[in-house]
Amino acid sequence: MATQSEDAAYGGETTPDEIDELARRAQAGDAAALDAVLTAIRPRTLNVCRGVLPYTPDAEDACQEALLNIATKISSWGGRGRFTTWTHVVAVNSARTTYRRMKNQAAAYDPQDHNPLSEKPDPRTTSVIAGTRLDLLEAMETIEKDHPQYVEPLLLRDVYGMPYDEIAELVGVPLGTIKAQIHHGRKLARPLLRGEE
């Protein structure tokens, strides 16, 4: 007989408490619980990926990668915060990885040498609404070279609106440190977003 959390996971909206419980059971080796938790978090994971990658097929690729990472690394969730908060970070990182891979695959081409219709679209020009998000990703890549500790807190706060205290708990550093990292990250990002490199 299915438990209440299994019914919710398969048939309706699952609460954060139910997702945490499913995740704990999945960590203990319960394959049905792993399937249920992945089903429950998929819509949210896809939305997180869409927040970074506006082109739906790219967001779906990143979502699949995130779900695979969640399934294979579920044992690394410490259980201190919500499982959904942990998965949020995994999804952001998967979307950023997908963007990097696409950016590396997008090669400049001469229209006379190639058929532009057969080329995969450059992720930086895929969508009119993508500009600010992709500009932000470019800025984060630049910042990450010298200050990688600023990137994740800055994205979680400024792109996803996550509260400072949740970010601090998730990243595992004091609240004051998170606030300072976000402040310094914003100072570094502003000129990059204005094109003042």
Side-chain angles (χ1 to χ4, degrees), residues 6 13 26 32 39 44 55 66 80-81 93 106 116 125 139 153 166 173 197:
E6 286 171 331
E13 186 142 337
T39 299
R44 179 184 175 138
Y55 186 58
R80 292 186 320 263
N93 289 335
T125 59
E166 282 187 34
V173 299
E197 287 182 82

Side-chain angles (χ1 to χ4, degrees), residues 103 124 134-146 187-197:
K103 184 177 158 190
R124 292 165 288 188
L134 298 180
D135 290 347
L136 179 63
L137 284 175
E138 294 285 339
M140 293 303 104
E141 293 217 345
T142 300
I143 293 169
E144 193 169 38
K145 291 174 189 168
D146 295 323
K187 280 175 60 175
L188 292 171
R190 276 187 203 109
L192 297 171
L193 294 173
R194 289 186 205 127
E196 297 172 7
E197 287 182 82

Side-chain angles (χ1 to χ4, degrees), residues 40-62:
I41 65 170
R42 188 184 191 290
R44 179 184 175 138
T45 303
L46 182 57
N47 284 338
V48 169
C49 293
R50 281 185 183 139
V52 176
L53 298 163
Y55 186 58
T56 300
D58 298 337
E60 288 172 352
D61 287 348

Side-chain angles (χ1 to χ4, degrees), residues 149-158 162-169 171-188 190:
Q149 72 277 18
Y150 298 164
V151 174
E152 187 174 339
L154 186 58
L155 284 173
L156 292 173
R157 178 66 189 161
D158 288 355
M162 192 176 283
Y164 289 105
D165 57 337
E166 282 187 34
I167 297 168
E169 184 177 337
V171 176
V173 299
L175 181 60
T177 302
I178 284 296
K179 288 181 177 181
Q181 288 176 342
I182 291 169
H183 171 75
H184 293 302
R186 286 174 177 158
K187 280 175 60 175
L188 292 171
R190 276 187 203 109

Side-chain angles (χ1 to χ4, degrees), residues 5-194:
S5 60
E6 286 171 331
D7 288 341
Y10 289 112
E13 186 142 337
T14 310
T15 68
D17 287 338
E18 292 168 331
I19 290 173
D20 287 352
E21 177 57 30
L22 286 169
R24 285 186 196 93
R25 289 178 29 215
Q27 283 181 316
D30 184 335
L34 179 61
D35 287 344
V37 78
L38 292 174
T39 299
I41 65 170
R42 188 184 191 290
R44 179 184 175 138
T45 303
L46 182 57
N47 284 338
V48 169
C49 293
R50 281 185 183 139
V52 176
L53 298 163
Y55 186 58
T56 300
D58 298 337
E60 288 172 352
D61 287 348
C63 177
Q64 284 304 111
E65 182 179 320
L67 292 173
L68 180 62
N69 286 335
I70 290 164
T72 58
K73 298 176 182 175
I74 197 165
S75 63
S76 66
W77 172 56
R80 292 186 320 263
R82 288 275 182 205
F83 184 71
T84 52
T85 303
W86 179 77
T87 62
H88 194 106
V89 172
V90 175
V92 168
N93 289 335
S94 292
R96 291 180 64 221
T97 299
T98 299
Y99 174 73
R100 278 191 206 108
R101 184 174 53 248
M102 291 167 47
K103 184 177 158 190
N104 290 337
Q105 290 173 351
Y109 62 88
D110 181 345
Q112 295 177 345
D113 292 340
H114 294 88
N115 177 358
L117 298 176
S118 69
E119 296 289 331
K120 182 165 173 71
D122 184 332
R124 292 165 288 188
T125 59
T126 301
S127 170
V128 174
I129 64 168
T132 57
R133 284 184 272 182
L134 298 180
D135 290 347
L136 179 63
L137 284 175
E138 294 285 339
M140 293 303 104
E141 293 217 345
T142 300
I143 293 169
E144 193 169 38
K145 291 174 189 168
D146 295 323
H147 305 284
Q149 72 277 18
Y150 298 164
V151 174
E152 187 174 339
L154 186 58
L155 284 173
L156 292 173
R157 178 66 189 161
D158 288 355
V159 174
Y160 295 101
M162 192 176 283
Y164 289 105
D165 57 337
E166 282 187 34
I167 297 168
E169 184 177 337
L170 189 64
V171 176
V173 299
L175 181 60
T177 302
I178 284 296
K179 288 181 177 181
Q181 288 176 342
I182 291 169
H183 171 75
H184 293 302
R186 286 174 177 158
K187 280 175 60 175
L188 292 171
R190 276 187 203 109
L192 297 171
L193 294 173
R194 289 186 205 127

